Amino acid sequence: MKAFLTNLYINLIVILLYLPSFTMENLNIRIQISPTLYAKDPESSDLGRHIICKSIEMINTLGFESFTFKKLGEAIGSNESSVYRYFANKHTLLIYLVNWYWSWMDYKIVLQTANIDDPKEKIMHAIELLAADIKQDSDFSFINEVLLNKIIIMESSKAYHNKDIDIENEKGFFKTYKQVVHRVSEFVLEYNPKFEFPHMLVSTIIEGAHNQRFFAEHLPSLTDFKEGENNITRFYTNLVFNALK
């Protein structure tokens, strides 16, 4: 009975954190993004959602350097100025996309580990989510998570490798990424409370797995990735538990 109530309580927390709009007829899951990252909430209108959807497609196709609001406006059949009503510039749009991705990833980790007591199993689920191929999530129809993951791998470092990183960090621009690292670090410390480097370990999994996928596509001699074998996940699982011995 106690275990049942604990699991029920955890599930209610998940709902309160990630399901703020709920009716019996329509379950509307929404990822929460800090208002400091946009001038107008893009999820508040069809145009805003179209801007997000099309920007993901275009950044993935063109690359961040070649992507412009002018091109985005033409692609959505609207004025360039309409995009600026939502985002000050393409840098803040990229940060918004990065934040959305890591908020979504945190939601997935919470959801998949909520009823698990074994810290080893929590870590394994987290590694699977952080290192494996991303699948499309039907809960968010205007976001293509597969393409967004490609942007995270290719472009996300540009969100924080810049001269304004300290100012933007103080504003909370990278809170969601840090939240994911902290959450999985707590799993690590549950498994081995004496482990000295939990945050280093988790951030290494994330950045390393992304690099391996980049190498696999562009610089294959730098990796041992093989299509269909999920060996990036296996590699980081072995790495983590060898480090935690």
Side-chain angles (χ1 to χ4, degrees), residues 129-140:
L129 286 167
L130 295 171
D133 280 332
I134 297 297
K135 306 298 182 185
Q136 186 71 32
D137 189 340
S138 60
D139 289 334
F140 307 97

Side-chain angles (χ1 to χ4, degrees), residues 177-196:
Y177 186 20
K178 293 189 288 186
Q179 184 170 298
V180 169
V181 172
H182 181 69
R183 188 180 303 283
V184 182
S185 295
E186 289 188 330
F187 298 163
V188 169
L189 291 176
E190 280 184 64
Y191 182 80
N192 182 353
K194 295 182 179 180
F195 186 66
E196 191 176 359

Side-chain angles (χ1 to χ4, degrees), residues 33-75:
I33 303 297
S34 171
T36 60
L37 296 173
Y38 49 77
K40 180 180 179 180
D41 185 357
E43 291 196 48
S44 66
S45 69
D46 289 339
L47 175 60
R49 289 188 289 272
H50 195 30
I51 286 171
I52 296 302
C53 179
K54 185 57 69 172
S55 68
I56 291 171
E57 293 177 9
M58 294 182 70
I59 293 172
N60 179 63
T61 302
L62 301 175
F64 185 65
E65 289 82 359
S66 297
F67 169 78
T68 67
F69 279 3
K70 182 178 180 179
K71 293 176 182 178
L72 177 58
E74 291 172 354

Side-chain angles (χ1 to χ4, degrees), residues 5 24-25 29 50-51 55 60 68 71 74 106 113 115 124 143-144 149 155 157 161 167-168 170 196 198 205 231 245:
L5 291 174
M24 293 302 291
E25 294 80 15
I29 302 172
H50 195 30
I51 286 171
S55 68
N60 179 63
T68 67
K71 293 176 182 178
E74 291 172 354
D106 193 44
T113 61
N115 296 320
M124 292 175 69
I143 297 282
N144 186 323
N149 175 249
E155 311 284 3
S157 63
H161 284 174
I167 296 171
E168 292 176 348
E170 287 180 4
E196 191 176 359
I205 296 167
N231 55 355
K245 285 182 179 177

